[in-house]
Amino acid sequence: MKWNPCWYGLDQSIIVGDTDLFYLQKEEHSFANGALSIEDEEVEAIILQITHPILGQIKGILTQELDYSIFLNDGGIVIVNGEEEPGEVYDQHMNINDWCMEVDVQILKKTGLTSYERISQLTDFEKVEKKRMREAKYRELLGI
């Protein structure tokens, strides 16, 4: 599976070991981008491994802010601009032009919903609670 960012906070966070609902582009073997869509496919899956050709093994990618945080297996963190200069690395002497990641996932279930359908089913309280729980889970999985 491919994870290729669109930047601007439009990408899904992925963390090795996370079991969650993810949105995939139909028949393209990649994670969907964007806020909401009737064109994506919701699956329950486990993230098994994330790799990048230059950075190597990745522990996780947090995209909740306009700067993306990429947690490396060696404990390093690469902060990437996701808004003003998308793809530019802060405070690093590295030049990465291709941010496409290879992600090994185990799909547990296809729900039959799209991201638009899922979010339409949630109340405002449920949306806030889901975000809070997800952020706590990410901190635990990443050890931060």
Side-chain angles (χ1 to χ4, degrees), residues 31-114:
F31 285 84
N33 305 94
L36 295 175
S37 174
I38 59 169
E39 301 295 322
D40 57 21
E41 173 182 35
E42 182 183 77
V43 298
E44 181 180 359
I46 302 170
I47 305 296
L48 302 173
Q49 180 175 303
I50 307 167
T51 32
H52 183 268
I54 296 172
L55 298 174
Q57 294 296 311
I58 307 292
K59 195 173 185 179
I61 305 166
L62 289 181
T63 65
Q64 289 138 328
E65 303 295 327
L66 295 176
D67 292 331
Y68 290 21
S69 300
I70 299 173
F71 294 79
L72 307 177
N73 269 8
D74 68 6
I77 302 173
V78 176
I79 308 294
V80 184
N81 185 299
E83 182 187 27
E84 294 169 355
E85 296 180 52
E88 291 295 315
V89 179
Y90 292 113
D91 301 325
Q92 302 272 339
H93 299 311
M94 64 175 65
N95 185 18
I96 298 175
N97 295 318
D98 184 0
W99 287 102
C100 186
M101 309 279 180
E102 286 292 330
V103 184
D104 293 339
V105 300
Q106 179 182 356
I107 295 175
L108 304 172
K109 171 174 66 170
K110 293 183 178 187
T111 67
L113 296 176
T114 66

